[in-house]
Amino acid sequence: MGAFSIWQWIIVLVIVLLLFGRGKIPELMGDVAKGIRNFRKGMKDEIAEDEETPEEPARTVEHRPEESVKDVKDAVNKG
């Protein structure tokens, strides 16, 4: 019940070849490689876009000492 023997591996290989065919396996692996390559390219593009766009400085609200909170609320409610 431990590891597979060589005969079990050969049987699995024969079944895989019957299911996919000899030409299909390299084509399938090529598609996997293209997918990985496109994923890496997309990640690099995303990182480059993040580095190129400068972050906007944080906006703050100016405090006017002569205004109270009540005055501001009244002005917002009227307008």
Side-chain angles (χ1 to χ4, degrees):
M1 291 252 280
F4 290 116
S5 71
I6 188 70
W7 294 109
Q8 291 169 331
W9 284 112
I10 291 173
I11 292 171
V12 169
L13 181 63
V14 168
I15 291 172
V16 168
L17 286 174
L18 287 175
L19 289 176
F20 294 107
R22 282 184 44 208
K24 189 70 173 171
I25 293 175
E27 182 181 326
L28 185 67
M29 295 309 291
D31 290 343
V32 169
K34 285 179 187 177
I36 292 171
R37 195 175 312 122
N38 287 336
F39 176 76
R40 287 182 181 168
K41 182 181 175 188
M43 292 298 292
K44 286 180 184 177
D45 290 345
E46 185 175 310
I47 291 172
E49 287 176 4
D50 289 344
E51 291 174 355
E52 289 177 5
T53 50
E55 294 184 17
E56 294 182 13
R59 297 182 182 181
T60 58
V61 178
E62 294 180 21
H63 174 68
R64 297 183 188 152
E66 64 273 359
E67 289 183 339
S68 69
V69 175
K70 185 176 180 182
D71 295 336
V72 174
K73 285 183 180 179
D74 291 340
V76 169
N77 290 334
K78 289 180 184 177

